[in-house]
Amino acid sequence: MKPNQMLGSQAGPFDTLPHSCSARSVASKPKGAVRNTRAATRWTALFPIACALIGLATGFAMQGLGRPDAAGLVWSAGVVPVLAILLWQIVASLRRGDVGLDIVAALSMSAALLIEETLAAAVVGLMYASGQALEAYAAGRATREMNALLDRVPRSAVRHSNGTLETIPIAQIAVGDRLLVHLGDVLPVDGTVVGTALLDEAPLTGESLPVTRRDGEAAMSGSTNVGAAFDLVAREPAARSTYAGIVRLVEEATKSQAPMTRLADRYALGFMVATIGLSALAWWISGDPVRAVAVLVVATPCPLILAVPVAIVSGISRAAKIGVLVKGGAALEMLGRIRTLVVDKTGTLTHGTAAVSQIVVGQGWSQSEVLRLAASLDQVSQHAVAQAIVAAAAEQGLALALPTETREVPGDGVEGRVAGHLVRVGGKAFVSGGLQERDRVLLRAAVPAGALTVALSVDGAFAGLVLMRDALRSDVSGTLARLRELGVTRVVLATGDRRDVAVAISAGLALDEIAADLVPEDKIALVHREKARAPVMMVGDGVNDAPALVAADLGVAMGARGAAASAEAADIILLRDSLDGIGDAMAIGQRSRKIALQSVFAGIGLSAFGMVAAALGYLPPVQGALVQELIDVAAILNALRALRPG
């Protein structure tokens, strides 16, 4: 199962890993209980340490005073609270259906007390309690970036109402409400800026510098106002805003265990059985119960069952920091296995919006006059191409005339009068209808392949062509090269556009195949065909890409400007309007997996060596406890390296 249930989930944000070496890698807390959970976490981490440390220190003091019997009693008393808390955690895990591997720690403390190895029991108790605190620290570090997103959720907003301002809960914000955003406020909903806004979008996109959003431009919820106060007109209710979706994604991000984590769970159970078996064998062969206790003490399955989830969650948190939202450990782990990339064109390889690239003029016309007349008439049209032409004229500072007697044929073009002249602007077929044959020949003149052509005629004569292109993103070539370095061996362009358009726009890119004229069903078939060869990552942004994103081993959506359906279907969302996040995400996924395996193999290898030494009598219980803690610390700290850039 792929973790594709980002939006619509109502589960609360996770807070930290469970404070025991259980087979569950990640816990999820109800939203209302987060603060109480954190307080309980601190108590359960610090209280056992205090008991064990006081007991150990007091016992040494008693022994120094020549009271060994009293020292043993004090050491035992210091262990009892730690053991009681441990047993409570084990029972709680068993009730959830988890076989807690803290059973080994409980057995080692209990056995040490039974054979009156009280110092060893006290050392194990202190080491175990400090290990819990280390787990809490590791979990907090691993989830810091994602919890930071949750902590920034706004609870209220200031709304204009009948000439006054009122503070309302964000749940009451409706589409069209005009909100006042003060300096330092987090935008509660997606909206349109009124005036000028200076926004910090770093928590969403990873962009370190503030961005300026001008009048009429869109602003994402979750951004922070770092400039003067401004008004925001709500475009979505709070529940459907970008930031609300991100929060729900974060809450769900660690619920699904990665395949590697589930594999570690199975191995961890086997490790526990092997530990108990080796302990019993050492006792049976040597006849010395101390050796059995020593084996239990030095056994440390934590590198196996804790290092994997810490590394995975650290990788997810690292990705969130740079504006890449990963929906769970399975998706992050799959990033390290991808070998084929299937990528959409419009809005993914390209910006998704046409722009004027060239103007071809007829005899007696200038480029600026052709653009001015076309833009003047296109002012009456809401077509995206018409608006792009008007925007190009505005960028050049051209003075547009007000058209009259206009008539628009949807999908074909517009005709009307501009400054007394009859003007037609639109497709070749629409404009050529009123031209003489000589001008029709000019109109049919070859234009660069892949360009969208807008023709212009004035008073029945050919005036010029406006050529438009959906330009490639500047980072496409570099991103594809980096993905190949990271192990991608095949890149396929999948688009619904004509083949000549796809070939022209992708010229110079390192593609293995171009699949054009595709409908959504064709894209799904293409993904399934490629999956038969190797693990596939599909990248897209439109509604028509959503089925293919689900079909792929890993779906990646351009979330900054993409459709909600594609974000819903994807396993990974790029919040930056840039492709380079794909390479960053793959690098993080590969590194996290590598670090997890390093921690597992090194930690379990050292533990196995120590257990054998203990079984042979070379490692007494007290020294075994110290070795066990050193192995745990090394494994966890190594797993936390996934938080840092590679």
Side-chain angles (χ1 to χ4, degrees):
M1 290 288 291
K2 297 199 306 174
N4 284 335
Q5 293 77 33
M6 184 270 286
L7 300 175
S9 171
Q10 300 302 316
F14 69 88
D15 178 52
T16 175
L17 298 182
H19 296 291
S20 62
C21 276
S22 66
R24 291 290 181 196
S25 62
V26 182
S28 177
K29 315 295 184 202
K31 186 175 293 185
V34 171
R35 186 170 300 175
N36 292 335
T37 299
R38 289 174 179 171
T41 294
R42 287 191 293 269
W43 182 86
T44 55
L46 296 178
F47 177 74
I49 291 179
C51 292
L53 190 58
I54 292 172
L56 194 63
T58 305
F60 278 125
M62 289 294 181
Q63 194 169 45
L65 294 174
R67 301 286 303 278
D69 293 340
L73 291 175
V74 172
W75 283 330
S76 299
V79 173
V80 170
V82 180
L83 184 57
I85 292 174
L86 175 56
L87 292 174
W88 177 81
Q89 291 174 338
I90 291 173
V91 171
S93 296
L94 292 175
R95 286 177 177 174
R96 294 193 304 267
D98 301 335
V99 180
L101 290 180
D102 290 329
I103 292 173
V104 174
L107 286 175
S108 65
M109 280 186 267
S110 301
L113 290 176
L114 286 175
I115 66 172
E116 298 185 352
E117 284 283 344
T118 54
L119 176 57
V123 172
V124 172
L126 179 60
M127 295 298 101
Y128 179 81
S130 61
Q132 283 195 317
L134 181 59
E135 287 182 38
Y137 166 78
R141 287 280 290 123
T143 62
R144 183 178 60 185
E145 300 300 335
M146 290 180 287
N147 281 331
L149 287 173
L150 298 175
D151 291 340
R152 297 177 66 255
V153 175
R155 306 298 177 191
S156 62
V158 179
R159 180 173 65 186
H160 290 273
S161 178
N162 298 322
T164 63
L165 296 174
E166 60 177 350
T167 300
I168 60 171
I170 63 170
Q172 295 182 13
I173 299 174
V175 175
D177 281 352
R178 185 162 176 156
L179 310 175
L180 175 63
V181 184
H182 292 102
L183 172 65
D185 285 354
V186 175
L187 274 60
V189 294
D190 297 331
T192 302
V193 173
V194 178
T196 302
L198 185 63
L199 302 176
D200 176 12
E201 297 180 351
L204 302 176
T205 66
E207 174 59 52
S208 59
L209 297 177
V211 297
T212 299
R213 300 295 180 196
R214 305 192 183 281
D215 190 75
E217 292 187 348
M220 285 192 296
S221 55
S223 307
T224 302
N225 180 19
V226 293
F230 68 95
D231 284 350
L232 181 78
V233 178
R235 293 191 294 115
E236 294 281 356
R240 294 208 303 265
S241 68
T242 299
Y243 196 56
I246 292 172
V247 168
R248 286 191 290 269
L249 186 152
V250 171
E251 291 170 353
E252 292 291 314
T254 58
K255 277 192 170 183
S256 63
Q257 288 184 304
M260 188 165 59
T261 302
R262 294 194 294 269
L263 184 65
D265 291 341
R266 294 197 295 270
Y267 285 159
L269 292 174
F271 184 89
M272 180 179 71
V273 173
T275 297
I276 296 174
L278 182 59
S279 174
L281 182 63
W283 188 358
W284 180 66
I285 292 177
S286 67
D288 184 2
V290 174
R291 290 194 183 184
V293 173
V295 172
L296 292 174
V297 164
V298 78
T300 171
C302 285
L304 178 60
I305 61 165
L306 188 60
V308 171
V310 166
I312 294 296
V313 175
S314 296
I316 293 174
S317 188
R318 173 66 190 163
K321 186 175 183 179
I322 62 172
V324 179
L325 296 184
V326 182
K327 299 182 186 179
L332 187 79
E333 187 180 341
M334 180 57 70
L335 276 169
R337 300 171 51 205
I338 293 299
R339 294 296 175 265
T340 300
L341 171 67
V342 177
V343 59
D344 177 49
K345 181 183 74 67
T346 305
T348 305
L349 288 185
T350 68
H351 292 282
T353 57
V356 175
S357 61
Q358 184 181 354
I359 297 176
V360 178
V361 298
Q363 186 175 5
W365 292 93
S366 67
Q367 292 185 351
S368 61
E369 186 64 9
V370 167
L371 180 59
R372 187 186 74 84
L373 289 172
S376 294
L377 187 55
D378 272 338
Q379 291 179 100
V380 303
S381 175
Q382 295 300 313
H383 195 282
V385 172
Q387 293 301 305
I389 291 175
V390 173
E395 288 178 2
Q396 295 188 21
L398 301 179
L400 303 185
L402 184 64
T404 59
E405 302 177 24
T406 60
R407 180 179 70 91
E408 181 172 6
V409 179
D412 289 333
V414 185
E415 68 176 6
R417 291 196 173 274
V418 179
H421 298 282
L422 179 61
V423 179
R424 276 192 169 195
V425 59
K428 287 183 180 181
F430 177 76
V431 173
S432 65
L435 297 181
Q436 297 179 359
E437 182 59 31
R438 177 178 61 85
D439 286 331
R440 288 177 184 172
V441 173
L442 293 175
L443 184 58
R444 291 195 297 267
V447 296
L452 173 63
T453 303
V454 178
L456 176 73
S457 69
V458 179
D459 295 328
F462 172 71
L465 299 174
V466 179
L467 306 182
M468 309 187 73
R469 287 184 182 274
D470 183 6
L472 279 177
R473 295 177 184 271
S474 59
D475 57 351
V476 169
S477 182
T479 297
L480 295 182
R482 187 182 183 196
L483 291 178
R484 296 220 182 243
E485 292 175 357
L486 291 170
V488 172
T489 58
R490 181 171 169 80
V491 180
V492 179
L493 172 60
T495 178
D497 282 348
R498 303 191 316 271
R499 183 169 184 82
D500 61 328
V501 174
V503 170
I505 200 70
S506 61
L509 295 181
L511 302 177
D512 296 286
E513 181 181 342
I514 297 175
D517 299 305
L518 302 181
V519 297
E521 292 79 4
D522 296 331
K523 288 187 177 182
I524 295 174
L526 173 64
V527 167
H528 283 304
R529 185 196 74 191
E530 294 298 331
K531 283 174 67 175
R533 301 179 177 180
V536 174
M537 175 167 62
M538 169 72 190
V539 185
D541 79 316
V543 174
N544 62 331
D545 296 321
L549 293 175
V550 174
D553 295 297
L554 194 68
V556 180
M558 303 292 292
R561 297 289 184 267
S566 61
E568 176 82 21
D571 303 300
I572 295 174
I573 300 176
L574 305 180
L575 290 179
R576 291 180 292 174
D577 193 24
S578 172
L579 277 178
D580 58 5
I582 300 174
D584 294 337
M586 278 198 66
I588 290 171
Q590 291 180 358
R591 185 167 181 267
S592 299
R593 189 173 189 273
K594 180 180 179 181
I595 288 173
L597 292 175
Q598 285 175 349
S599 297
V600 166
F601 292 140
I604 294 302
L606 291 172
S607 295
F609 181 79
M611 290 163 61
V612 171
L616 296 175
Y618 296 114
L619 196 60
V622 174
Q623 289 88 333
L626 295 174
V627 168
Q628 180 260 359
E629 183 64 10
L630 289 175
I631 294 172
D632 282 357
V633 170
I636 293 172
L637 293 182
N638 184 67
L640 282 174
R641 289 194 301 116
L643 280 171
R644 301 196 301 270

